[in-house]
Amino acid sequence: MKNLSKRELEAYCGDLSQAFGIQECVLEGGKAKGTKAYIVNNGCGLEMTVLADKCFAIPKMSFKGDNVGFISKTGICAPEFFQEEGTRGFLRNFEAGFLTTCGLTYVGTPGVEDGQPNGLHGVISNTPIEHASSKVEWDGDKAWLVLNGHAREGYLFGPNLEIRRDIRMNTKENKLWIHDEVENHGFDTQPLMLLYHFNMGYPMLDGSCKVYTNYDKIVPRDPHSAEGMEDCEQFLDPIDGYEEKVYFRSVSDESVKKGYVLLHNENLQKAVLIHLDPEALPVLNQWNSPRSGDYALGLEPGTAHVGGRIRAKEDGSLKYIEPGEVKTFDIEVEFIDCTTENEKLSAFIK
């Protein structure tokens, strides 16, 4: 799309939705049936599907015609199919997609605390957004495509946490902004485990891909992940029966205030760059799964590692949110066409 002013664009269009916009819809067919969604197109390279019924998950993201995220063999699943049953319950309803939000009071390896079982990655990912809304806001000749709403994790005698989310992109840049506020409406201190489960998939992900990040300190989740850890930034082509490897990454230099992780695809000459705040999201979990049929790379910034809440308590990494407290989280995702924007990579590829 040409770099036109608003009035010039209106001269070309009857309705501006032919150039960009937000389409509200309800998905039909299979396990996705009945799921409220938004299809967002910024008119200059980005198109995504956002699920209002699953805490604004983003199952589909494409950049200049190429798919970016990984969709698991479950396909898109409506939240009513979710059953919290250890690991399998979550995985049976986990389409993954470009982004799944996990938490809010526990994520990672399942465990039992005080007789209460906590499943994999919590329940917020299968919680519908309340008061979900979409709008187009004009800032001069730039249109902002905005989604917002809130979701709650709470039950009688339990926690009462709310996440307020604002997702936006504009018509001049191939970037995605996520702004979240988590508030403890209850009267007890609660664990806070929030995980942004970004998942890269084919064709954005292949054996030519390499990860670059300033989350430079690496701890393997288990002995298996420690094997070949020195090569964990270089992704692989599909391997039958490959067993996943997971790494907990953090920033070793506490003076660093701007974190990032970049995935560069040499074959496509495209990159995805995620800008992070290491103070708010001190851990970058890296999930390497070049397994045939489950071919994915998880780049998962969070308040804690995915070793589970019990392990986080034991190693002192578990974060808490006080009664009435509000914590803020901001992420910017930049999509780069290296054929025309290669200079953007120079500060990150070293």
Side-chain angles (χ1 to χ4, degrees):
M1 187 170 69
K2 296 179 181 179
N3 189 19
L4 302 176
S5 70
K6 180 183 178 182
R7 287 299 292 159
E8 287 173 330
L9 188 58
E10 287 173 335
Y12 278 100
C13 303
D15 186 279
L16 292 181
S17 64
Q18 74 185 67
F20 64 86
I22 304 172
Q23 176 71 55
E24 185 175 352
C25 62
V26 176
L27 303 183
E28 292 291 344
K31 292 176 70 177
K33 184 179 180 180
T35 304
K36 182 180 178 180
Y38 298 93
I39 300 172
V40 187
N41 179 1
N42 78 339
C44 69
L46 290 181
E47 184 169 331
M48 65 179 180
T49 301
V50 183
L51 304 182
D53 283 348
K54 299 191 75 174
C55 198
F56 279 155
I58 306 175
K60 295 184 179 181
M61 172 70 77
S62 65
F63 174 44
K64 294 189 174 181
D66 288 316
N67 174 68
V68 176
F70 164 72
I71 298 181
S72 79
K73 60 192 68 168
T74 69
I76 295 175
C77 298
E80 54 263 36
F81 290 100
F82 174 64
Q83 293 181 324
E84 192 170 20
E85 178 199 344
T87 298
R88 287 190 306 175
F90 176 83
L91 294 181
R92 284 177 175 145
N93 229 48
F94 178 53
E95 65 268 348
F98 178 67
L99 173 63
T100 295
T101 304
C102 304
L104 293 168
T105 58
Y106 54 94
V107 299
T109 303
V112 178
E113 297 179 76
D114 300 323
Q116 173 64 51
N118 294 331
L120 177 67
H121 288 334
V123 299
I124 203 67
S125 63
N126 285 283
T127 302
I129 291 285
E130 299 176 37
H131 301 114
S133 66
S134 65
K135 59 183 175 181
V136 176
E137 296 178 342
W138 283 94
D139 178 13
D141 292 321
K142 179 191 295 185
W144 286 91
L145 313 175
V146 182
L147 304 176
N148 52 47
H150 61 93
R152 183 171 301 214
E153 178 180 332
Y155 54 90
L156 185 64
F157 305 128
N160 187 7
L161 302 187
E162 178 189 49
I163 182 168
R164 297 186 290 271
R165 172 159 291 182
D166 180 286
I167 299 178
R168 61 182 59 211
M169 61 173 63
N170 66 57
T171 54
K172 302 294 185 182
E173 302 168 278
N174 284 314
K175 295 181 180 181
L176 173 70
W177 286 267
I178 301 171
H179 172 77
D180 287 340
E181 296 177 353
V182 178
E183 182 171 358
N184 182 356
H185 290 287
F187 295 87
D188 299 302
T189 300
Q190 294 292 343
L192 176 60
M193 300 187 81
L194 175 61
L195 181 75
Y196 296 87
H197 207 307
F198 289 100
N199 309 286
M200 307 299 162
Y202 182 81
M204 185 63 220
L205 184 69
D206 63 23
S208 77
C209 284
K210 191 168 184 179
V211 174
Y212 301 86
T213 180
N214 61 352
Y215 283 70
D216 55 328
K217 182 180 178 181
I218 310 176
V219 176
R221 182 184 64 180
D222 46 44
H224 169 68
S225 299
E227 298 173 6
M229 187 174 70
E230 64 277 5
D231 298 319
C232 69
E233 283 94 2
Q234 179 63 57
F235 211 69
L236 304 171
D237 287 317
I239 300 170
D240 293 354
Y242 186 95
E243 183 180 345
E244 66 175 9
K245 294 183 178 181
V246 177
Y247 308 96
F248 310 151
R249 309 185 69 129
S250 58
V251 178
S252 61
D253 184 352
E254 293 183 359
S255 67
V256 173
K257 302 302 180 185
K258 294 182 178 181
Y260 71 86
V261 58
L262 180 143
L263 178 70
H264 178 233
N265 185 304
E266 182 68 29
N267 287 338
L268 280 186
Q269 283 298 293
K270 291 181 179 177
V272 178
L273 173 60
I274 305 175
H275 299 275
L276 303 165
D277 177 357
E279 184 175 352
L281 299 169
V283 181
L284 174 66
N285 299 277
Q286 180 180 334
W287 168 46
N288 285 12
S289 178
R291 182 187 180 101
S292 300
D294 298 310
Y295 190 77
L297 168 66
L299 300 173
E300 308 166 26
T303 60
H305 58 64
V306 294
R309 195 165 78 178
I310 294 174
R311 181 170 173 176
K313 278 184 179 179
E314 292 173 348
D315 64 26
S317 64
L318 182 62
K319 306 297 182 185
Y320 294 87
I321 185 167
E322 300 298 326
E325 185 178 6
V326 179
K327 290 184 179 290
T328 301
F329 304 89
D330 288 284
I331 295 177
E332 177 185 321
V333 186
E334 187 172 0
F335 301 84
I336 301 171
D337 182 345
C338 302
T339 63
T340 58
E341 304 173 291
N342 198 54
E343 71 284 352
K344 290 184 177 182
L345 301 183
S346 59
F348 305 99
I349 295 181
K350 300 176 182 178

